Amino acid sequence: MNILVLNGPNLNMLGRREPDIYGSKSYQDLEDYCYGFADRYPVSIDVKQSNLEGILIDILHYADDHYDGVILNAGAFTHYSYALYDAIKAISIPVVEVHLSDLTKREPFRTISVIRDACIDSVMGLGFQSYEEGLKILLESRDQT
Ligand code: DQA
């Protein structure tokens, strides 16, 4: 299974960004963690990041023909990007929404995810492990088809 991990705005600032919420590990650490899935699961992994909504949309379109599933942390776009919602709906591969932090315990605007209904599932609040749980969901969804 070819899996794309796609990270949105400000995730490149991990380690420097609000470490009390996101932890002290860097974005490079997150990439390394995700690439490590290939050692433990029957998958190949690519990891991409952009701060730009349009680029994330282009990558999702591209992913439809090149990957079997996407683990998506859309960052703040989660809360208001109907364009990302449409992009996820426009492709036929499964997308799992993931977040490092627990959105239910933060500012009220973060409790809304406009992309959730386009995704097969969502995982939050587990730090880097949210991505691994997202991967397990993709693997299970493949087993059920
Ligand atoms: C985030 C949560 C979002 O609300 C925030 O805008 C982010 C990161 C998370 O991983 O916890 O950039 O998606």
Side-chain angles (χ1 to χ4, degrees):
M1 220 180 166
N2 293 325
I3 301 296
L4 175 65
V5 178
L6 182 56
N7 288 305
N10 299 305
L11 286 155
N12 58 307
M13 296 297 283
L14 280 182
R16 286 189 278 167
R17 169 192 190 200
E18 300 180 273
D20 47 319
I21 294 170
Y22 297 113
S24 57
K25 290 192 174 157
S26 68
Y27 182 70
Q28 187 60 55
D29 292 332
L30 176 62
E31 283 208 348
D32 293 345
Y33 176 83
C34 291
Y35 281 119
F37 295 156
D39 301 332
R40 292 182 287 122
Y41 297 92
V43 293
S44 65
I45 299 284
D46 276 336
V47 185
K48 298 181 192 293
Q49 189 271 333
S50 178
N51 292 318
L52 303 181
E53 185 180 25
I55 290 179
L56 294 169
I57 291 166
D58 283 345
I59 293 172
L60 284 168
H61 294 171
Y62 174 87
D64 204 22
D65 291 327
H66 295 88
Y67 296 93
D68 302 306
V70 179
I71 298 166
L72 173 65
N73 186 343
F77 289 140
T78 302
H79 313 303
Y80 64 92
S81 176
Y82 295 108
L84 269 184
Y85 171 88
D86 282 347
I88 299 164
K89 292 290 263 189
I91 63 177
S92 52
I93 55 171
V95 178
V96 177
E97 172 191 12
V98 300
H99 299 283
L100 297 161
S101 61
D102 183 349
L103 303 180
T104 66
K105 300 203 169 111
R106 300 185 60 195
E107 302 95 321
F109 76 85
R110 293 187 205 274
T111 61
I112 293 166
S113 167
V114 302
I115 65 168
R116 186 151 307 161
D117 287 348
C119 298
I120 62 164
D121 210 341
S122 70
V123 184
M124 65 172 72
L126 303 176
F128 286 6
Q129 210 192 323
S130 293
Y131 290 74
E132 185 162 354
E133 295 307 314
L135 175 65
K136 289 183 195 165
I137 289 165
L138 287 176
L139 287 166
E140 280 161 21
S141 80
R142 192 263 322 263
D143 290 345
Q144 283 159 16
T145 53

